[in-house]
Amino acid sequence: MLKPDVPHGQVHTFWLDSEVLQGNPWEDSPRRRIDVYLPPEVNLDSGENYPVLYDLVGYSNGGPKDTAYTSFGESVPERMDRLIANGDAKPAIIVFPDCFTSLGGNQYINSPSVGRWADFLLHETIPFVEERAPVLPGRDHRGLFGKSSGGYGAIVHGMRYPEYWNAIACHAGDMYFDFCYRTDFPTVLDVLAKHDRSVSQFLEYFHSAEKVSGDEFHTLMAIAMAATYDPNESDPTDIRLPVDLYTGELLEERWANWLRHDPIHLVEELGGNLHDLDLVFIDCGDQDQYHMLYGARILHRKLEDQGIKHIYEEFPDNHSKIDYRYDRSLPLLIDALTPFGE
């Protein structure tokens, strides 16, 4: 809801014609919408530059979802307007890239079966924005935040690409795959059994159905994760689940490919890169229905063991409708990215 009692920033919409998303196996358009929030009294020709944050939305959404009208709540731009007006946050620019796919979203990493989404963000979106918006150049003034799949993207980018990001916030990010994904497989197999245990038949049904059930939605999510973490490079449209589709037995080789992308394992190899960041913020609800809490606790412990400075918080809520936690992370992110003395 638009709040009339505070100064309002502006959201500008741009369109990026991606080269790295050309030839997507699902024929998703390489033309991508990029919304950019400018704080109050800032315009595209501003003589002053500001820190910039990139918002990674959760699975099943695209970036412009966070700039849209929100009933009984706030969009992210409205939240920023309030935080700035109340003196709780310094002005900053926020970028909302549309990374939605035919598989319902992505995890913001490169996959031949989903798309080169890390390359899209790092090599296309960042320079695209820096050419058009008054942002402070360089990684020292650039941050990344998101929740759920977006939280996963934030923490993984922090570990894999510290040369691009100086501050990250991971809200209820996907991690500890044995808890957050593996428990879904029995339901996924029950759904696929209605489609001759065929992923391709299920996808055809899903995209033609007028309405899908919650179990069918979660089946699509499991398929998207399989395409992300264990892609078939020789045939990107051949999506393989890490379980036997008849017996449900875990296929250890397939599952091992998933686990290589799990933040609680990645941190053992790449956690040291987080030392280069000025802020690592991680939180999760203590009633998270996808069991993300346990992964967050494991990651927190491993970061402590490595001596990596970070902020870790648990709060009394589940996985849904937790955008209010941005009131906590956005000011911290902006402070970490603001030049000293400002």
Side-chain angles (χ1 to χ4, degrees):
M1 298 183 294
L2 190 65
K3 307 300 186 296
D5 54 342
V6 300
H8 302 302
Q10 300 179 30
V11 176
H12 295 266
T13 295
F14 300 94
W15 294 91
L16 191 164
D17 292 308
S18 171
E19 294 184 6
V20 301
L21 299 180
Q22 294 280 353
N24 183 283
W26 309 103
E27 299 182 355
D28 289 334
S29 173
R31 184 171 175 79
R32 291 286 154 170
R33 175 175 165 179
I34 311 289
D35 282 359
V36 178
Y37 164 81
L38 301 183
E41 302 182 3
V42 176
N43 57 59
L44 292 174
D45 298 319
S46 176
E48 183 177 359
N49 292 343
Y50 296 85
V52 60
L53 298 173
Y54 288 73
D55 178 355
L56 303 184
V57 296
Y59 178 79
S60 82
N61 293 301
K65 174 260 183 187
D66 274 2
T67 65
Y69 178 88
T70 303
S71 58
F72 305 109
E74 297 171 308
S75 67
V76 172
E78 289 168 348
R79 186 175 302 278
M80 275 297 297
D81 288 344
R82 173 176 55 79
L83 290 171
I84 293 170
N86 292 345
D88 295 324
K90 299 183 180 76
I93 292 169
I94 304 183
V95 180
F96 305 85
D98 177 17
C99 302
F100 188 74
T101 73
S102 295
L103 296 180
N106 76 87
Q107 299 297 92
Y108 307 99
I109 64 177
N110 291 332
S111 162
S113 290
V114 184
R116 292 167 54 189
W117 290 103
D119 289 345
F120 171 73
L121 289 170
L122 302 174
H123 305 311
E124 293 188 330
T125 306
I126 288 174
F128 181 87
V129 169
E130 293 192 348
E131 289 175 2
R132 291 163 176 80
V135 303
L136 287 164
R139 57 87 62 187
D140 288 349
H141 312 298
R142 189 186 304 131
L144 189 65
F145 71 97
K147 60 186 177 67
S148 196
S149 287
Y152 172 88
I155 191 66
V156 169
H157 270 248
M159 287 191 277
R160 288 195 178 279
Y161 310 111
E163 68 272 28
Y164 288 92
W165 311 107
N166 190 34
I168 60 164
C170 168
H171 295 275
D174 298 10
M175 58 187 73
Y176 197 17
F177 292 0
D178 284 300
F179 270 31
C180 73
Y181 297 144
R182 189 171 170 181
T183 55
D184 285 338
F185 290 145
T187 299
V188 170
L189 296 183
D190 289 345
V191 171
L192 289 178
K194 300 174 184 177
H195 302 276
D196 296 328
R197 300 188 180 87
S198 166
V199 170
S200 61
Q201 285 188 33
F202 170 78
L203 290 175
E204 183 177 354
Y205 156 78
F206 188 96
H207 289 297
S208 63
E210 293 183 351
K211 181 179 179 179
V212 297
S213 68
D215 285 348
E216 289 168 337
F217 169 80
H218 283 95
T219 297
L220 181 69
M221 184 167 64
I223 289 170
M225 299 308 150
T228 299
Y229 302 135
D230 183 28
N232 184 344
E233 296 193 12
S234 62
D235 182 2
T237 61
D238 175 31
I239 299 176
R240 311 162 298 186
L241 289 172
V243 291
D244 185 288
L245 299 186
Y246 181 70
T247 66
E249 293 168 288
L250 189 70
L251 305 177
E252 297 289 350
E253 181 180 357
R254 301 263 71 81
W255 187 238
N257 290 338
W258 285 53
L259 295 183
R260 279 197 285 270
H261 296 279
D262 190 335
I264 70 165
H265 299 303
L266 274 177
V267 71
E268 296 172 1
E269 175 189 358
L270 301 174
N273 289 336
L274 296 175
H275 282 296
D276 296 335
L277 278 62
D278 282 344
L279 177 71
V280 176
F281 179 93
I282 301 163
D283 75 359
C284 193
D286 61 8
Q287 303 153 51
D288 190 292
Q289 64 267 42
Y290 296 103
H291 317 301
M292 305 298 186
L293 175 64
Y294 300 100
R297 287 174 173 173
I298 294 171
L299 182 64
H300 167 51
R301 176 176 55 78
K302 291 189 174 185
L303 291 177
E304 283 191 321
D305 291 345
Q306 293 189 35
I308 296 170
K309 184 179 178 181
H310 65 288
I311 296 173
Y312 175 72
E313 297 179 354
E314 296 180 13
F315 55 93
D317 206 343
N318 59 27
H319 193 81
S320 306
K321 299 184 183 301
I322 58 171
D323 287 15
Y324 62 85
R325 290 293 299 172
Y326 292 160
D327 276 22
R328 172 67 174 145
S329 63
L330 291 176
L332 293 172
L333 287 163
I334 296 166
D335 281 347
L337 302 174
T338 300
F340 180 76
E342 292 192 10

